[in-house]
Amino acid sequence: MEHRYFGASDKQFPILGFGAQRIVDEHQCTEEDAIRIVNRAIDEGITYLDTAPSYSDGQSEERLGKALRHRRSDVWIATKTHDRTRDGSWRLLEASLNRLQTDHVDEWRLHNLVTMDDLEQCFAKGGAMEAMLEAKEQGIIKAISVSGHTNPEVQLEAIERFPFDSALVALSAADHFIYSFAHEFVPRAVEKGVAVIGMKVMALGKLAPWYEQALRYTFSLPVATTIIGMETMEQLEKNLAIAKRFCPMSDTEQLDFLKEIIHLATPDVLRWKASEWMSGEWYRRD
């Protein structure tokens, strides 16, 4: 697989990253299967793994911890805090470390900042950023990150306020049409040396009829890696095959693809951007 630099650092990752949200009972993935899938991904060269304490009440982290018990040094683990306070974030991090069976995480994110108020809470006195800076100073984390699905203006403001190492943002082809992170956020992030990590590639399955095109669209953006949620070995193998034969979309290919899917730019499809869907609660289901 093609490897790309992680922002301004000398670290590199393959274009396909592993989204661990779905290796849980909630998605009909057993613990045994989860461990097999994660180890197969690592064997095939995937080194970037993303999880969060809110994914099935910690089961995602717990299963990653079991799968990585003897392979911790082979991978980069990113997890998150959805708490906006210092103390609450520390509690989440300590629980994450316990479930992941590790003494450090490589990347810790502010999970899904939806509004400017979310951002203000994190940067306020006693806010989550204090926990992030303390954890980095203590060597418990290596990189500080931010994520968002809804409004690129929030993440733009975040990277202007602080030199985040990375940003995890919604970059499906369907996201192209409204509140576009690809248009509004990615160019500035790249300019500032912030590693961009793509997510929501399949738009909650709505892009399944255009599966390879959907992956190619996001891989063709200036992303450091792209995380795909996978709960079966079949999905992993399919994604690996596409990533291994990846070639960037031409402008003509992209335009033709976008014409085919523009009808999907609706609140029902892009629910993480629709205010009527209560996107502020997205972190609970992300």
Side-chain angles (χ1 to χ4, degrees):
M1 280 184 285
E2 178 184 339
H3 283 61
R4 296 181 185 169
Y5 281 104
F6 187 70
S9 76
D10 59 2
K11 186 78 176 172
Q12 293 187 44
F13 294 107
I15 55 174
L16 177 61
F18 191 94
Q21 178 198 358
R22 303 175 72 88
I23 55 167
V24 295
D25 292 344
E26 185 179 347
H27 290 281
Q28 291 73 56
C29 182
T30 67
E31 182 175 297
E32 181 181 3
D33 285 342
I35 291 172
R36 287 178 55 249
I37 293 165
V38 170
N39 277 283
R40 172 66 175 163
I42 300 169
D43 290 342
E44 286 296 311
I46 293 176
T47 54
Y48 190 98
L49 287 73
D50 174 90
T51 185
S54 58
Y55 294 165
S56 296
D57 295 322
Q59 191 177 66
S60 170
E61 290 182 327
E62 181 182 340
R63 289 185 173 176
L64 267 191
K66 291 178 178 178
L68 301 174
R69 189 172 295 154
H70 304 296
R71 308 193 72 169
R72 177 66 183 90
S73 62
D74 296 337
V75 299
W76 177 277
I77 299 176
T79 193
K80 310 178 181 76
T81 173
H82 55 260
D83 197 292
R84 304 313 187 202
T85 68
R86 173 196 177 276
D87 293 349
S89 292
W90 263 116
R91 285 191 291 271
L92 286 175
L93 180 58
E94 289 163 358
S96 292
L97 292 171
N98 183 58
R99 287 189 291 263
L100 289 165
Q101 301 186 41
T102 185
D103 62 357
H104 73 284
V105 293
D106 301 286
E107 190 176 0
W108 197 25
R109 303 192 214 289
L110 299 174
H111 196 170
N112 189 28
L113 301 188
V114 177
T115 67
M116 290 297 181
D117 184 58
D118 288 336
L119 185 66
E120 294 296 341
Q121 289 178 49
C122 291
F123 276 86
K125 182 176 176 56
M129 281 302 298
E130 290 184 7
M132 295 212 150
L133 293 169
E134 291 164 3
K136 187 169 185 179
E137 184 178 352
Q138 294 175 31
I140 300 173
I141 67 171
K142 295 179 182 178
I144 297 177
S145 182
V146 62
S147 73
H149 311 72
T150 306
N151 180 4
E153 290 298 321
V154 178
Q155 282 64 44
L156 276 171
E157 176 63 21
I159 65 172
E160 294 299 334
R161 290 194 187 192
F162 181 81
F164 285 95
D165 297 290
S166 69
L168 172 67
V169 294
L171 287 173
S172 79
D175 283 284
H176 180 101
F177 301 108
I178 185 167
Y179 302 128
S180 172
F181 282 92
H183 293 159
E184 299 177 38
F185 176 79
V186 171
R188 182 59 174 159
V190 170
E191 180 184 343
K192 292 178 73 67
V194 178
V196 177
I197 304 140
M199 65 171 169
K200 290 288 172 291
V201 177
M202 300 310 298
L204 295 183
K206 297 296 186 180
L207 291 176
W210 303 271
Y211 200 98
E212 183 160 359
Q213 289 165 286
L215 267 66
R216 283 186 65 208
Y217 168 86
T218 306
F219 288 159
S220 297
L221 299 173
V223 293
T225 190
T226 296
I227 59 169
I228 312 290
M230 296 175 258
E231 72 261 34
T232 68
M233 193 68 76
E234 180 183 14
Q235 289 172 350
L236 171 61
E237 298 295 351
K238 184 176 184 178
N239 293 332
L240 282 167
I242 293 170
K244 287 178 179 180
R245 65 174 177 258
F246 165 70
C247 63
M249 269 189 167
S250 68
D251 290 344
T252 300
E253 285 179 307
Q254 184 186 99
L255 181 59
D256 289 343
F257 177 38
L258 293 174
K259 285 178 179 177
E260 282 189 60
I261 66 166
I262 192 170
H263 65 282
L264 297 177
T266 66
D268 181 58
V269 173
L270 297 174
R271 292 181 289 166
W272 50 93
K273 289 183 175 177
S275 59
E276 59 264 52
W277 190 73
M278 296 179 65
S279 58
E281 295 298 309
W282 178 255
Y283 74 82
R284 299 186 186 279
R285 313 185 189 194
D286 181 14

